[in-house]
Amino acid sequence: MAWTSVISTVRADDQGKIRERVYAVVLGGGLIFIGAVAWQLAVMAGAVDEFLTSSPVLVIEGVVKQIVSGELLVNIGISGLEFIVAFAVASVFGISLGLLMGRLRYVKYAIEPYVWLLYSSPVIALFPLIVLIFGLGAPSVVFIAIMLAIVPLIVNAMQGVDNVDPGLIKVVESFGGNELQLLRKVVLPASFPTIMAGVRLGMGRAVVGVVVGELFAGQGGIGYSIDKYASELNTTQVFSSVLIVIVAGLVLNFIARALERASSGWRTDL
Amino acid sequence: MSHITFDSVKISYKTSDGEVEAVGDFSAEIQKGEFIAIVGPSGCGKSSVLSAADGLLKPAAGNVYVSGEPVTGPGHGRAMVFQDASLMPWRSVESNVAFGLELRGVGKAERLRTARELVKLVGLEGRERSRPSQLSGGMRQRVGIARALAVDPEILLMDEPFGALDAQTRESMGMELLRIWENDRKTVLFVTHGIDEAILLADRVLVMSAGPRSRIVEDITIDLPRPRTREVRVGREFQVYRSRLSNLLFGEQDARTTEPATR
């Protein structure tokens, strides 16, 4: 009796979840769809200037053209490599620094002001200076992407460690555990969700960093393409390239979430 | 030789208004296999005394000796049960129980075997793979006790372990603890603010005065037969201990409230 009621509540719960999911997809995707249709109709009716606004059909065609010509693959190769290097460096340094700052308050006192300085300073405004130092090309792009991406990685790792239940730390101390065990078995698993949220934020900022960097100093890549097409007044290809960046960002976010789910298993095994 | 010796232990804390001497002078001798309850008004530093015995906290003066050796840090012969159980929410029940053994480098197969035995001992058989969030407060504290027992300590330090539980669960957990304790009669230091709990469980109750500079005001031997059952509570002797303890605790607290505020 009790069991059947449990099962039926679980089923009702699942059904509720599915319904919520459908609403989210229909409402979220529907709005974009309606927007695109309105945009297309406005262009077809001549209400807006196609030269300035392009149209959804043209934008999709533009993407296809980039795929067929191989431009997309080359751009993704260049931008992707810059992204990977920048994000890897930012992750390794950002998370280690954040963990250190969370555990050792003197390190935190020494470094925290600069993190917030970096956070609130318009890094992009320093770009001419960065180009002066690193020259045009990938190094400047990677540098600015690191600067943008590292802040949430540091801050989240630090806050993750700060928020570890002091009771759990006491348990490790009481059993005579050392600092390394404390880090591996309590601090990292406990701050894992917060760190991963930082990873996702940092990922998004690294994408922005790469695109904006290429826009100003790139010698290839998606951002460089956007700049090139804009100077040619090719509205359609600018939109197409932006669409590609958006899709890339979504795909990265999806990968990050999948990684997060897959790797949360290790917390129980360590 | 006594198992644990508190030799004029003094504990102080740095606060924003300077150093506060929480515990002024705590001296006691505890024999092997004794079940000791420490009671006192809140803020008297009874938990600090326990931390000092575990080696988590260094006394400002005086020393704690275990089997004649001064305590310099957490050691293998002691294990602590914390007030809120302090379980790792990402670990299963058995993995939490095995945690202390894991930190001490015991191999996986062996520590899991020990953990399962203890899960059974504390009455949680079948819940080995559950997460702490799926357990009730009482069950979580059973896991906390099992985790401490898993490292097979000679001394069990319990810091208000049932303080967060409702009265009924609290009492049954007390009886459960006695059942487990009767197996091998480890030396137990049990900090509590519950008078009934202290009498029901302990061989001796150390009563502390209110802080700051608290000390032991009374060391009462509870001469009730073991193994104890709930029925002990209705007996006349229990009531005598009870009124004596509440006079010591609440009488003092009343006196304190009539004192002019000096701080």
Side-chain angles (χ1 to χ4, degrees):
Chain A
M1 171 60 202
W3 273 110
T4 52
S5 69
V6 166
I7 289 165
S8 63
T9 47
V10 166
R11 281 203 183 129
D13 205 39
D14 270 356
Q15 268 175 0
K17 270 185 198 152
I18 291 165
R19 201 180 308 132
E20 282 301 308
R21 194 104 193 119
V22 169
Y23 284 149
V25 170
V26 168
L27 289 177
L31 213 54
I32 294 173
F33 184 74
I34 291 167
V37 168
W39 183 5
Q40 185 68 43
L41 287 176
V43 171
M44 279 159 68
V48 293
D49 185 353
E50 194 183 70
F51 177 70
L52 289 178
T53 65
S54 187
S55 80
V57 170
L58 287 173
V59 170
I60 299 293
E61 274 173 17
V63 173
V64 173
K65 213 192 283 176
Q66 285 197 28
I67 294 172
V68 172
S69 70
E71 186 188 346
L72 182 71
L73 207 62
V74 173
N75 278 347
I76 285 182
I78 295 170
S79 298
L81 191 64
E82 286 165 346
F83 167 81
I84 287 169
V85 172
F87 183 65
V89 171
S91 295
V92 170
F93 277 94
I95 293 174
S96 324
L97 197 62
L99 291 176
L100 216 59
M101 286 164 75
R103 281 303 292 160
L104 306 169
R105 67 179 194 285
Y106 293 119
V107 176
K108 180 176 164 176
Y109 294 158
I111 295 181
E112 202 178 7
Y114 305 102
V115 175
W116 293 115
L117 197 80
L118 186 63
Y119 179 69
S120 40
S121 71
V123 180
I124 290 160
L126 296 174
F127 211 53
L129 212 61
I130 294 168
V131 173
L132 206 63
I133 298 168
F134 292 100
L136 285 174
S140 283
V141 174
V142 168
F143 184 79
I144 199 154
I146 291 173
M147 287 296 115
L148 282 175
I150 205 166
V151 174
L153 288 159
I154 296 175
V155 171
N156 275 47
M158 180 177 82
Q159 267 163 7
V161 176
D162 263 354
N163 293 342
V164 175
D165 177 1
L168 299 184
I169 296 176
K170 226 170 161 184
V171 170
V172 176
E173 285 171 351
S174 175
F175 279 119
N178 57 38
E179 182 71 20
L180 191 72
Q181 288 176 317
L182 182 64
L183 183 74
R184 263 185 23 150
K185 295 182 192 295
V186 171
V187 172
L188 275 179
S191 50
F192 182 76
T194 322
I195 292 176
M196 281 313 288
V199 165
R200 282 211 308 277
L201 284 171
M203 217 173 221
R205 287 171 64 108
V207 170
V208 171
V210 165
V211 171
V212 172
E214 285 173 349
L215 213 59
F216 290 112
Q219 294 187 311
I222 297 174
Y224 176 77
S225 279
I226 293 175
D227 187 45
K228 188 188 75 185
Y229 288 127
S231 68
E232 292 168 1
L233 306 180
N234 189 342
T235 320
T236 298
Q237 285 297 355
V238 171
F239 276 123
S240 299
S241 301
V242 170
L243 182 66
I244 290 164
V245 174
I246 292 170
V247 171
L250 290 175
V251 168
L252 282 173
N253 195 33
F254 181 79
I255 293 173
R257 280 183 184 277
L259 269 178
E260 195 176 337
R261 265 196 301 275
S263 58
S264 65
W266 68 264
R267 296 206 293 167
T268 55
D269 297 334
L270 275 182
Chain B
M1 185 178 49
S2 55
H3 199 188
I4 311 172
T5 306
F6 291 92
D7 179 18
S8 311
V9 169
K10 194 160 118 182
I11 293 166
S12 46
Y13 284 105
K14 286 196 182 72
T15 66
S16 46
D17 349 304
E19 202 152 277
V20 172
E21 201 180 305
V23 179
D25 179 4
F26 190 97
S27 292
E29 302 262 332
I30 289 146
Q31 304 306 318
K32 201 170 180 69
E34 264 191 309
F35 197 125
I36 303 289
I38 303 175
V39 299
S42 35
C44 75
K46 49 193 190 294
S47 292
S48 306
V49 169
L50 207 66
S51 292
D54 194 26
L56 286 172
L57 192 154
K58 201 177 148 27
N63 252 320
V64 184
Y65 299 90
V66 171
S67 310
E69 298 284 321
V71 170
T72 52
H76 281 196
R78 285 155 282 148
M80 182 92 112
V81 177
F82 297 88
Q83 177 171 16
D84 47 6
S86 288
L87 305 178
M88 318 287 156
W90 56 85
R91 282 172 176 256
S92 65
V93 164
E94 60 184 11
S95 167
N96 264 295
V97 173
F99 188 68
L101 293 169
E102 192 179 323
L103 289 180
R104 290 176 186 186
V106 176
K108 189 164 187 172
E110 195 189 331
R111 66 177 190 249
L112 275 183
R113 194 160 43 83
T114 311
R116 285 186 190 132
E117 273 168 31
L118 281 153
V119 169
K120 207 159 135 184
L121 179 70
V122 298
L124 285 178
E125 205 176 2
R127 304 305 298 263
E128 288 86 352
R129 314 291 299 169
S130 300
R131 293 291 150 126
S133 58
Q134 298 169 305
L135 304 180
S136 67
M139 286 165 144
R140 276 203 287 275
Q141 198 50 281
R142 283 167 196 257
V143 179
I145 293 169
R147 178 176 62 189
L149 290 174
V151 296
D152 197 20
E154 288 179 5
I155 298 168
L156 199 57
L157 304 165
M158 307 186 82
D159 187 5
E160 296 191 34
F162 309 142
L165 306 177
D166 62 86
Q168 213 168 354
T169 314
R170 188 172 181 160
E171 193 180 290
S172 62
M173 285 296 289
M175 299 318 296
E176 191 73 5
L177 176 63
L178 280 184
R179 175 184 68 78
I180 293 164
W181 177 76
E182 291 287 355
N183 285 337
D184 55 359
R185 295 213 174 187
K186 293 179 189 300
T187 308
V188 178
L189 280 187
F190 188 99
V191 166
T192 176
H193 53 251
I195 293 177
D196 286 17
E197 191 172 62
I199 305 168
L200 194 62
L201 299 177
D203 296 314
R204 267 162 68 200
V205 179
L206 308 180
V207 185
M208 289 177 76
S209 66
R213 284 186 300 287
S214 62
R215 59 198 172 79
I216 297 178
V217 288
E218 194 82 63
D219 179 345
I220 302 171
T221 301
I222 307 294
D223 197 10
L224 295 170
R226 289 194 187 273
R228 292 184 192 158
T229 54
R230 286 170 211 265
E231 282 67 53
V232 163
R233 296 180 51 165
V234 294
R236 213 189 62 84
E237 281 165 304
F238 189 93
Q239 298 307 324
V240 172
Y241 286 125
R242 196 169 190 277
S243 58
R244 192 167 155 202
L245 272 165
S246 49
N247 280 341
L248 279 165
L249 282 170
F250 303 124
E252 188 179 34
Q253 225 167 32
D254 287 342
R256 201 165 50 121
T257 52
T258 55
E259 264 175 34
T262 49
R263 282 194 300 142

